[in-house]
């Protein structure tokens, strides 16, 4: 089913579509899928199909996919787009639309960085995190030094060292003009660009995908959104938001990493896979030699298999959270 809320489009894979049987646990963590820059919810269809196929008769958790504001079929209001706007959308969706239900966040590219940040904000609601060739600052774990004050806390107190100027130099009209020029230059080349990004599975860069991207880019307000890619603020480091002891997410993390990433480059993809493996216990890296920048779409079979293998760790972590919560309640009651 497809629905709208506050200008954002989202899709829910219903019980019939996901082939959920009577044994479905209504408390099982949901999957919330978050796409990357200039993409849309449609980019998750192959992965969801593979999850169904590989699960066989086993029940799957409910699956949601949303269009970030400014992309896909969501509205494109005239505001200053940053990662924090989209991260707030993910957080609001999880709390309001999903009703605070336990979930696993799964993001690709910039959607991975948003999912990681949201996992830190949502706290106990998140039971697992899946990062497919994620964007975001990842410092060498051995060299990372936690800041005197977390970026989140410093920002809330107005002490951030580098205030963010959302519209530099000539202001919003220049940003709109730049975005319009970028859309005009790239619009005719969308199929060719996708062929390059999907180098290992060019057949998956099909007309439907090209149409979905082109449709979003041609909508009113798209120039502002596309132009925003040139002035995005710095993310909170992944080292911070995935550090449970520093107020981040400390649960299980799966990193399906397409090693033939044509956006960041294969060497960079390998470096980030290595860094994730050194980040902390509970982070599992799955190297996909035949996967690219969007492994959920050009290597959906491998990513689905990795997710299904990962879900027991999510359930174990979720059950541990429940046990810890009950123990805390008993202590308070005593």
């Amino acid at each position: 089913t497809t629905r709208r809320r506050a200008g954002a489009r989202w899709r829910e894979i219903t019980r019939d579509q996901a082939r959920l049987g009577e044994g479905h646990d209504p408390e099982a963590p949901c999957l919330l899928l978050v796409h990357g820059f200039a993409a849309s919810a449609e980019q998750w269809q192959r992965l969801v199909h593979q999850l169904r196929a590989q699960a066989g008769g086993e029940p799957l958790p409910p699956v949601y996919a949303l269009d970030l504001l400014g992309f896909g079929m969501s509205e494109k209001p005239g505001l200053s787009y940053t990662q924090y706007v989209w991260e707030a959308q993910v957080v609001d969706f999880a709390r309001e639309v999903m009703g605070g239900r336990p979930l696993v966040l799964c993001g690709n590219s910039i959607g991975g960085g948003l999912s990681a940040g949201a996992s830190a904000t949502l706290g106990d609601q998140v039971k697992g995190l899946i990062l497919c060739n994620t964007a975001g600052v990842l410092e060498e774990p051995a060299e990372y030094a936690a800041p005197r004050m977390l970026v989140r806390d410093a920002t809330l107190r107005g002490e951030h060292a580098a205030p963010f100027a959302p519209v530099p130099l000539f202001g919003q009209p220049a940003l709109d003009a730049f975005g319009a020029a970028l859309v005009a230059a790239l619009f005719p080349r969308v199929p060719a660009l996708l062929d390059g990004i999907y180098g290992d599975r060019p057949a998956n860069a099909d007309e439907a995908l090209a149409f979905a991207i082109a449709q979003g880019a041609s909508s009113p307000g798209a120039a502002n959104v596309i132009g925003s890619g040139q002035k995005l603020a710095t993310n909170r480091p992944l080292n911070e938001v995935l550090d449970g002891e520093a107020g981040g997410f400390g649960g299980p993390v799966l990193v399906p990493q397409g090693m033939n990433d044509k956006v960041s480059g294969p060497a960079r993809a390998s470096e980030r896979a290595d860094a994730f493996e050194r980040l902390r216990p509970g982070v599992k890296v799955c190297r996909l030699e035949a996967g690219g920048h969007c492994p959920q779409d050009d290597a959906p079979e491998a990513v689905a298999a990795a997710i299904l293998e990962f879900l027991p760790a999510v359930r174990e972590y979720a059950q541990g959270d429940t046990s810890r919560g009950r123990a805390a309640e008993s202590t308070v009651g005593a």
Side-chain angles (χ1 to χ4, degrees):
T1 57
T2 301
R3 309 181 187 183
R4 283 186 176 271
R5 185 184 180 93
R9 192 278 300 251
W10 56 280
R11 302 183 66 187
E12 176 185 2
I13 310 302
T14 66
R15 284 178 173 269
D16 290 340
Q17 290 171 309
R19 300 191 304 180
L20 298 178
E22 292 299 323
H24 171 61
D25 181 1
E27 298 303 317
C30 304
L31 276 173
L32 175 55
L33 310 175
V34 185
H35 64 78
F37 194 86
S40 66
E42 276 71 23
Q43 208 173 30
W44 298 100
Q45 288 180 339
R46 290 188 178 90
L47 176 62
V48 173
H49 174 77
Q50 280 298 318
L51 286 171
R52 297 178 195 153
Q54 294 185 34
E58 294 296 317
L60 286 174
V63 181
Y64 296 78
L66 55 78
D67 278 343
L68 296 171
L69 280 173
F71 298 121
M73 296 180 68
S74 284
E75 293 181 8
K76 299 164 180 61
L79 51 82
S80 180
Y81 290 89
T82 69
Q83 294 99 313
Y84 295 107
V85 169
W86 293 313
E87 185 180 312
Q89 179 190 353
V90 174
V91 169
D92 289 347
F93 184 91
R95 287 175 172 166
E96 298 180 15
V97 176
M98 300 177 71
R101 180 172 176 173
L103 76 153
V104 176
L105 280 164
C106 177
N108 170 232
S109 191
I110 194 174
L114 301 176
S115 297
S119 72
T121 302
L122 288 166
D124 290 342
Q125 185 181 351
V126 179
K127 306 304 180 184
L129 182 63
I130 303 169
L131 304 175
C132 301
N133 286 65
T134 184
V137 176
L138 178 60
E139 298 184 20
E140 170 53 47
E143 300 174 1
Y144 174 72
R148 174 184 60 83
M149 183 181 296
L150 299 182
V151 172
R152 175 196 61 197
D153 297 336
T155 302
L156 290 174
R157 293 178 58 170
E159 298 180 7
H160 198 282
F164 173 56
V167 185
L169 204 54
F170 298 111
Q172 187 65 41
L175 187 65
D176 288 344
F178 173 78
L182 196 60
V183 170
L186 297 180
F187 193 90
R189 299 179 55 215
V190 167
L193 291 171
L194 287 174
D195 283 343
I197 295 173
Y198 284 63
D200 290 300
R201 191 74 72 86
N204 285 13
D206 55 20
E207 292 183 2
L209 178 61
F211 176 79
I213 293 175
Q215 183 183 46
S218 62
S219 302
N224 175 36
V225 185
I226 299 300
S228 71
Q230 305 304 307
K231 52 87 183 173
L232 294 178
T234 303
N235 284 72
R236 292 180 287 173
L238 293 170
N239 309 67
E240 176 184 318
V241 297
L242 299 182
D243 183 352
E245 296 182 359
F249 177 66
V253 179
L254 173 66
V255 183
Q257 186 80 349
M259 304 307 292
N260 193 23
D261 190 326
K262 301 296 182 61
V263 175
S264 66
R268 181 63 174 158
S270 181
E271 291 173 2
R272 285 176 70 85
D274 292 342
F276 270 116
E277 287 180 332
R278 295 189 293 268
L279 185 60
R280 66 164 172 80
V283 176
K284 179 181 179 180
V285 176
C286 180
R287 296 170 186 259
L288 307 174
E289 299 299 333
H293 186 67
C294 305
Q296 80 281 3
D297 203 29
D298 65 10
E301 302 90 347
V303 175
I307 290 175
L308 292 173
E309 185 178 332
F310 174 67
L311 289 180
V314 171
R315 288 193 288 269
E316 182 178 352
Y317 179 76
Q319 290 169 357
D321 265 3
T322 302
S323 299
R324 287 190 291 274
R326 288 173 180 167
E329 289 174 3
S330 299
T331 302
V332 172

